């Protein structure tokens, strides 16, 4: 929870300082890998792979529908190439999004391409889930930087400033 200034509010009984940002499907279990983190990673990997396989089956039905409609080999080839290129671009964009924050304007402009290349995004999520929670590295870097900043801020503010000796 944060206020309008971006500072963290701490409820009674919790430690002061920055809090980790939750990751979808993982919450804040990525911080100390507790509370079913491994099971969640396995579930995310299996789920994203199953969704990718199901998506490929749906695309296969669409391809067969085009073949039945007999619209021509050029249009069929164009559709296959479009899905392949969009999936490759979506994979790369999703993979890069796990290591750095995406630009919101670029994200908005690529929304259609990412929707068409959804299989690539699902595969990127699957492969990242094999090693860590997707986005964990980025969140960990930001959280550790926030902790270091908090420690520097709090260690500088020790003692009563009114009792400070004045230099003559």
């Amino acid at each position: 929870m944060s206020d309008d200034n971006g500072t963290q509010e701490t409820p009674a009984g919790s430690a002061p300082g920055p809090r980790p940002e939750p990751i979808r499907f993982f919450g804040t279990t990525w911080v100390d890998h507790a509370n079913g983190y491994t099971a969640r990673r396995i579930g995310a990997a299996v789920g994203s792979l199953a969704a990718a396989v199901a998506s490929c089956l749906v695309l296969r039905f669409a391809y067969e529908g085009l073949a039945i409609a007999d619209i021509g080999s050029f249009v069929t080839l164009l559709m296959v190439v479009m899905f392949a290129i969009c999936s490759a671009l979506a994979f790369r964009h999703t993979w890069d999004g796990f290591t750095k924050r995406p630009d919101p304007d670029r994200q908005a402009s690529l929304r259609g391409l990412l929707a068409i290349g959804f299989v690539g995004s699902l595969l990127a999520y699957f492969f990242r889930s094999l090693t860590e929670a997707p986005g964990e590295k980025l969140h960990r870097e930001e959280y550790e930087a926030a902790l270091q900043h908090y420690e520097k801020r709090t260690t500088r503010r020790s003692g009563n400033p009114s009792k400070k000796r004045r230099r003559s």
Side-chain angles (χ1 to χ4, degrees):
M1 292 185 285
S2 65
D3 61 8
D4 294 334
N5 298 327
T7 58
Q8 299 291 331
E9 299 173 4
T10 56
S14 67
R19 290 204 203 146
E21 185 178 341
I23 297 176
R24 181 183 298 158
F25 304 126
F26 294 91
T28 57
T29 61
W30 60 268
V31 176
D32 54 0
H33 295 183
N35 298 331
Y37 171 81
T38 304
R40 291 176 191 220
R41 258 193 42 215
I42 292 169
V46 169
S48 60
L49 184 62
V53 169
S55 300
C56 287
L57 288 174
V58 169
L59 290 177
R60 169 78 181 179
F61 291 140
Y63 176 80
E64 288 177 1
L66 290 175
I68 291 171
D70 196 28
I71 57 171
S73 60
F74 177 72
V75 175
T76 305
L77 178 68
L78 198 61
M79 187 200 80
V80 170
V81 169
M82 176 204 54
F83 272 106
I85 290 173
C86 289
S87 290
L89 291 172
F91 180 92
R92 182 64 183 180
H93 181 76
T94 305
W95 190 263
D96 287 344
F98 295 142
T99 55
K100 62 184 176 192
R101 295 274 178 190
D103 178 33
D105 294 332
R106 185 169 185 262
Q107 184 84 7
S109 67
L110 291 177
R111 187 168 293 141
L113 180 125
L114 295 175
I116 294 170
F118 60 96
V119 175
S121 293
L122 290 169
L123 289 175
Y125 204 85
F126 166 73
F127 286 119
R128 183 59 81 164
S129 294
L130 295 177
T131 58
E132 67 177 9
E136 179 180 344
K137 181 179 178 183
L138 172 67
H139 284 74
R140 188 170 301 283
E141 289 171 356
E142 291 174 350
Y143 179 60
E144 289 174 356
L147 281 176
Q148 288 176 354
H149 179 70
Y150 177 77
E151 289 297 322
K152 282 191 340 188
R153 258 187 34 226
T154 55
T155 54
R156 280 190 297 194
R157 296 183 189 170
S158 60
N160 187 350
S162 65
K163 292 183 179 180
K164 189 175 181 181
R165 282 196 247 169
R166 304 283 180 207
R167 293 186 192 183
S168 305

